[in-house]
Amino acid sequence: MRLRLFGLLIIASCLATWLGTGSALAEKRVALVMGNSAYKNVAKLANPANDAALVGGMFRKAGFDTVDVKLDLNVAEMRKALRDFGGKAREADVAVVYYAGHGIELDGTNYLIPTDATLETDSDVLDETLPLDRALFAVEPAKQLRLVILDACRDNPFAKTMKRTIAARAIGRGLAKVEPTSPNTMIAFAAKAGSTASDGDAKNSPFATALVERLPMPGLDLRKAFGFVRDDVLKTTGYKQEPYVYGSLGGDDVPLVAAKPVVAGPQANPDAEIRRDYELALQLGTRDGWTAFLNRFPSGFYADLAKGQLNKIAAEETRAAAAEKARQAEDEKARLALDRTKKTEQEKAAAAAKAAEDAKAAAEKAKQVEEAKAAAAEQRRKEAEAAAAKALADKQAAEKALAERLANDTKQVAEQRTTEKQQVTDTPQKVAAVAPTASQPSLSPAETAKLVQSELRRVGCLTTAADGDWNASSQRSLTLFNKYAGTKFDAKLASFDALDAIKAKPGRVCPLVCDHGFKADGDACVKIACRAGYRVNDDNECEKVQDKKPVATREDTKKRDAERKQIEAAPAKPQASGQILCNTGGCRPVKSGCRIVNPRNGNLGGSQTEVCD
């Protein structure tokens, strides 16, 4: 009967434990984590794969029932991952999708870019990417909370090379803001609409690092958690990147990790269930009760105590058996004395009675030893339970102090924001300098110059790298900004006023200037392609190539000059007729065109005469 009562008490205890934890076990939470780093047609991203692994580990530590981490997915794999996750979300209370990689905004719609996308033209976006609505559709079946986290606001290389099929089609910088239509839905962006996010210099992006630190804090409402994420990222990036959250939740706090229950008093014990069953077995005090306890809890502190109680019961049984044997021996001795048996038998009976009495004394002594051991064990148990209760009370006090410190931090942040807004209201001429101006005293001139250079590059006025050196190229870029933006900042100095004014410009300010042979196409220079037989002229227009007429080569001129020099160098031909005229003065050649005439009358002795016609 006592064993049956003990079994019923154990069943009731298990039932109460199951009912007490039923509400916690009923909430099912699932998460899908995607990270695309190894893009095939643009430069590889360093952080998304690392960020996905970090965030996936955070969801597992937070106690999510299912966490699927997918890396470097092509378009077919992304569709399958979202489709499978949608099936899991139908049975869940909380569904979360985290995506890190490239994203693009086209005509106000956001798209997630798989690793195999090429995106040569804007029309390819519809075929090679997945719209953000596909991720929202996957989490929609969840019953209590639908959360999508996008770390995809990076500077998109696809937008720079993509050709527009329609000139008026808008390709935004960063991602566009979203207003979800389903209730209890939140969409968290790494950067607000129209701006880009930074990967940072570490293994993980500033946004992912802040998420892992803030979201799993027990009992912290998601709206406050993302507020802390926003503050952390702003400080880490020098107020260049501001995360943003869209959607709405109800009035109740919605933590990602439930707050730990606070139990007042030292009676709360992690081993409460074992202790309760131990005390029930102690009240029963039977061998069957302790055996049932050891069958359920075969090891541990309370199991050792139960074994001591069994030893105590065994000693009691041994003592009772010895006492019964001594009683029987005494009865036998009395019977023999009454029957006047032989003296030998009486002596044997007396010896047996003495032995039984000695055994009884030994059993009694053994029982006392076991009772002392059991009492000492009980004392140790009470001391251990008191120490555990004290440790638990200390832990609860520490958690309470941490909660109060977090509440004070939240209050201080709210007061600081209120002060900043009041300062902006009191100084209307400096409305543009909200968050960045608060950090002016902590930035060096080189850091300030680097921030201004980065913004000048964004608005198209600077083509060199942002290195913090405010040189002649940087001064010319600020001069160009003054020209096209209508401002009058000192170009020799990188100031915070100039930084705020440049940040206020949402798009390109300075016109795009392309080299010869290239033309402007949106925010990029593309090479001018002419059809066959045409070429780019000095005015960057295609003109027909003219056929060339044959002209004298330099080799012909050289040949003509050589022939002339050869002729001039040749010896002159003789100019005389070949006849020789001799007279008293001597002999000489006859001039050209002249002849010799002999003397008249045949007088050979007369002199010859030269006659020229």
Side-chain angles (χ1 to χ4, degrees):
M1 181 65 183
R2 299 178 71 184
L3 179 60
R4 183 181 301 172
L5 176 60
F6 176 69
L8 292 175
L9 290 173
I10 291 178
I11 294 173
S13 172
C14 294
L15 182 61
T17 302
W18 181 80
L19 290 175
T21 58
S23 59
L25 296 176
E27 184 177 86
K28 184 175 182 181
R29 299 178 296 170
V30 295
L32 172 62
V33 180
M34 297 180 288
N36 286 345
S37 283
Y39 283 90
K40 299 178 180 179
N41 299 299
V42 293
K44 180 179 179 181
L45 291 175
N47 284 350
N50 298 334
D51 294 341
L54 182 67
V55 174
M58 179 265 290
F59 284 131
R60 291 192 180 97
K61 292 180 181 178
F64 272 60
D65 298 271
T66 303
V67 180
D68 297 327
V69 178
K70 308 286 185 180
L71 302 180
D72 298 328
L73 303 177
N74 57 34
V75 63
E77 292 169 341
M78 286 186 70
R79 287 197 183 99
K80 184 177 184 302
L82 289 169
R83 181 172 62 250
D84 295 343
F85 183 72
K88 297 177 182 179
R90 280 193 289 272
E91 302 175 356
D93 298 281
V94 177
V96 183
V97 171
Y98 171 86
Y99 171 77
H102 276 309
I104 191 171
E105 179 258 313
L106 181 68
D107 287 340
T109 301
N110 298 318
Y111 298 87
L112 312 181
I113 303 180
T115 56
D116 59 345
T118 57
L119 303 186
E120 294 181 353
T121 65
D122 51 10
S123 60
D124 294 338
V125 173
L126 304 178
D127 300 322
E128 299 177 5
T129 66
L130 274 77
L132 174 60
D133 289 343
R134 184 64 186 85
L136 292 173
F137 186 81
V139 300
E140 189 172 6
K143 303 176 183 64
Q144 295 181 9
L145 174 65
R146 309 164 185 91
L147 176 60
V148 176
I149 305 175
L150 293 180
D151 194 357
C153 308
R154 294 168 174 82
D155 192 9
N156 186 4
F158 290 98
K160 298 179 180 178
T161 58
M162 184 186 300
K163 296 180 180 178
R164 291 174 172 82
T165 57
I166 299 177
R169 179 164 289 159
I171 300 176
R173 182 173 182 267
L175 298 179
K177 70 175 184 178
V178 179
E179 294 297 341
T181 57
S182 300
N184 297 326
T185 301
M186 291 184 69
I187 306 175
F189 286 80
K192 66 180 180 180
S195 62
T196 59
S198 170
D199 270 343
D201 300 326
K203 179 181 178 182
N204 298 104
S205 68
F207 183 62
T209 302
L211 285 177
V212 172
E213 180 179 356
R214 297 296 187 176
L215 258 60
M217 297 181 70
L220 183 62
D221 182 62
L222 278 178
R223 286 159 289 202
K224 290 185 179 179
F226 279 111
F228 287 132
V229 169
R230 176 234 182 224
D231 296 340
D232 293 345
V233 174
L234 276 174
K235 293 177 183 177
T236 304
T237 61
Y239 293 92
K240 293 172 60 178
Q241 177 182 340
E242 181 181 4
Y244 223 81
V245 177
Y246 301 93
S248 63
L249 301 178
D252 296 334
D253 285 350
V254 184
L256 190 67
V257 178
K260 296 181 180 179
V262 178
V263 181
Q267 67 274 15
N269 194 323
D271 297 330
E273 181 182 1
I274 302 176
R275 176 186 175 184
R276 183 168 55 251
D277 291 346
Y278 177 84
E279 291 175 347
L280 288 174
L282 186 62
Q283 292 176 8
L284 291 175
T286 63
R287 177 182 291 275
D288 292 337
W290 290 118
T291 302
F293 178 85
L294 287 173
N295 288 337
R296 188 177 183 197
F297 305 106
S299 62
F301 174 69
Y302 287 96
D304 294 338
L305 295 178
K307 292 174 183 177
Q309 294 292 340
L310 276 178
N311 294 336
K312 177 181 175 181
I313 292 174
E316 173 61 25
E317 291 174 348
T318 302
R319 185 201 64 78
E324 179 62 23
K325 190 173 182 180
R327 186 187 63 77
Q328 292 176 0
E330 285 293 334
D331 291 344
E332 182 66 16
K333 178 181 177 182
R335 185 184 67 78
L336 291 175
L338 291 174
D339 293 343
R340 298 178 180 179
T341 56
K342 295 179 180 180
K343 184 178 180 180
T344 337
E345 293 179 351
Q346 290 180 359
E347 291 176 354
K348 289 182 180 179
K354 185 176 185 304
E357 190 66 29
D358 292 340
K360 175 183 177 182
E364 186 70 28
K365 185 176 180 181
K367 175 188 175 184
Q368 293 174 358
V369 171
E370 292 300 330
E371 287 178 346
K373 290 182 179 179
E378 277 297 305
Q379 183 63 27
R380 290 195 301 272
R381 175 179 73 86
K382 293 178 180 179
E383 292 174 354
E385 289 176 352
K390 184 177 183 302
L392 184 61
D394 294 341
K395 182 179 179 182
Q396 292 172 355
E399 291 178 350
K400 182 178 179 182
L402 177 60
E404 292 176 353
R405 182 162 59 85
L406 289 176
N408 291 333
D409 292 343
T410 305
K411 182 178 179 181
Q412 291 176 1
V413 171
E415 292 176 352
Q416 182 180 359
R417 291 179 182 172
T418 304
T419 303
E420 292 176 355
K421 291 180 179 179
Q422 186 63 35
Q423 291 176 352
V424 172
T425 305
D426 295 341
T427 314
Q429 65 272 21
K430 295 184 179 180
V431 172
V434 181
T437 53
S439 63
Q440 290 182 14
S442 62
L443 295 180
S444 64
E447 292 172 336
T448 305
K450 190 173 183 179
L451 292 176
V452 176
Q453 289 171 337
S454 299
E455 291 301 319
L456 287 172
R457 282 177 56 86
R458 180 181 64 81
V459 298
C461 297
L462 179 64
T463 57
T464 59
D467 54 5
D469 182 13
W470 193 253
N471 49 27
S473 176
S474 302
Q475 295 176 15
R476 285 195 299 272
S477 66
L478 184 53
T479 302
L480 285 174
F481 179 82
N482 287 334
K483 176 180 178 183
Y484 292 102
T487 56
K488 296 181 180 180
F489 297 110
D490 186 3
K492 296 181 180 179
L493 177 65
S495 63
F496 281 94
D497 292 338
L499 176 63
D500 295 337
I502 301 171
K503 278 188 173 183
K505 300 298 180 181
R508 173 179 288 277
V509 174
C510 298
L512 182 63
V513 179
C514 299
D515 296 335
H516 180 263
F518 293 81
K519 64 179 180 179
D521 185 4
D523 290 337
C525 291
V526 297
K527 189 174 181 179
I528 300 175
C530 297
R531 59 181 178 175
Y534 286 77
R535 65 179 181 183
V536 180
N537 60 15
D538 295 339
D539 296 330
N540 264 8
E541 297 178 352
C542 292
E543 66 177 9
K544 189 173 183 180
V545 178
Q546 300 294 332
D547 296 333
K548 296 182 179 179
K549 295 181 179 180
V551 295
T553 62
R554 191 168 186 83
E555 287 76 10
D556 295 336
T557 304
K558 290 182 177 180
K559 183 177 180 182
R560 185 174 65 251
D561 293 343
E563 291 177 351
R564 179 177 58 79
K565 290 180 180 179
Q566 185 178 4
I567 294 173
E568 291 177 351
K573 295 181 179 180
Q575 301 296 323
S577 62
Q579 295 178 329
I580 301 299
L581 177 62
C582 295
N583 51 27
T584 56
C587 295
R588 62 177 180 83
V590 178
K591 298 179 179 178
S592 178
C594 299
R595 64 181 185 278
I596 298 176
V597 179
N598 292 324
R600 295 180 180 179
N601 299 326
N603 186 7
L604 296 176
S607 61
Q608 295 178 333
T609 305
E610 180 182 14
V611 178
C612 298
D613 296 333

